[in-house]
Amino acid sequence: LLQGQVGVIPTDTVYGLVCTASSVDSARRLYGVKNRENKPGTLIASNTIQLEQLGVHPSEIQVATPYLEKKVSVVLHVGENLHALRAGESGLACRIVAPSKSFSLSTMLEQTGPLLTSSANMPGQPTANTIQEAQDYFGDTVDFYVDGGDLSDRESSTVVELKDDELIILSKGSVSLIDIS
């Protein structure tokens, strides 16, 4: 990842197509592999400090922190410095990955810094639940695959946006509105 590679890994939710968020070239490549335009992925980090260091405005992070800590992806309005990551949109979904007892994505994120991720599937297709399904989608267009077993029991992240002090659910996932409140 630190050398600009794009791969598929088990995230804290589902298999994700990932690259380092600090590389514009890697972000463009990830979106190209996914055949995705004008629909940004999600920025995952081990803590809010990483988001701020990448250039997410501290006031946006402060408002979103209660949701970020609940395994929710929050669309944050980010500056021009993150233009390549936000795929032409004004905002970018961000999520903090909590430490886990199994594959420690949060530990990896401490080493790599924030990652740009998108579910391991092609637009309009189901998310890959196994590495074989991910390989069927992407073949040799990605640099590596990390097998985390069958993840069919996992759901994608809930994606929300805060507008005028109102919480808007953009995509329902593993966290319900009751869990968010």
Side-chain angles (χ1 to χ4, degrees):
L1 288 167
L2 294 175
Q3 296 172 354
Q5 294 188 342
V6 174
V8 175
I9 66 170
T11 70
D12 56 328
T13 56
V14 296
Y15 277 106
L17 183 64
V18 299
C19 70
T20 181
S22 62
S23 170
V24 170
D25 291 337
S26 295
R28 287 187 179 129
R29 183 165 166 234
L30 182 146
Y31 288 137
V33 167
K34 179 98 179 212
N35 292 325
R36 191 172 200 169
E37 292 182 19
N38 297 325
K39 188 175 180 192
T42 299
L43 188 63
I44 57 174
S46 66
N47 54 55
T48 57
I49 294 166
Q50 283 190 334
L51 295 177
E52 190 172 337
Q53 288 172 338
L54 190 63
V56 179
H57 197 275
S59 64
E60 287 275 324
I61 294 170
Q62 183 178 6
V63 170
T65 295
Y67 306 103
L68 291 171
E69 294 173 347
K70 293 183 178 182
K71 203 174 178 181
V72 173
S73 297
V74 181
V75 175
L76 301 178
H77 299 280
V78 296
E80 282 300 313
N81 59 318
L82 297 176
H83 178 74
L85 301 183
R86 56 188 176 96
E89 296 294 316
S90 63
L92 179 65
C94 299
R95 183 170 75 246
I96 301 300
V97 174
S100 69
K101 294 178 183 169
S102 57
F103 171 73
S104 186
L105 181 59
S106 63
T107 301
M108 185 178 86
L109 288 166
E110 290 171 12
Q111 301 298 312
T112 63
L115 299 178
L116 178 64
T117 185
S118 182
S119 57
N121 63 320
M122 297 307 277
Q125 298 297 312
T127 300
N129 291 316
T130 65
I131 281 298
Q132 182 59 57
E133 290 174 6
Q135 289 171 333
D136 291 344
Y137 283 131
F138 304 117
D140 61 1
T141 63
V142 300
D143 300 305
F144 66 90
Y145 293 87
V146 176
D147 192 346
D150 186 340
L151 303 184
S152 58
D153 62 334
R154 294 189 187 182
E155 290 185 69
S156 298
S157 174
T158 299
V159 181
V160 301
E161 186 170 11
L162 300 166
K163 275 191 176 177
D164 302 322
D165 296 328
E166 183 181 345
L167 185 67
I168 300 166
I169 296 180
L170 302 176
S171 176
K172 189 176 177 184
S174 61
V175 179
S176 72
L177 188 56
I178 292 169
D179 295 331
I180 296 171
S181 303

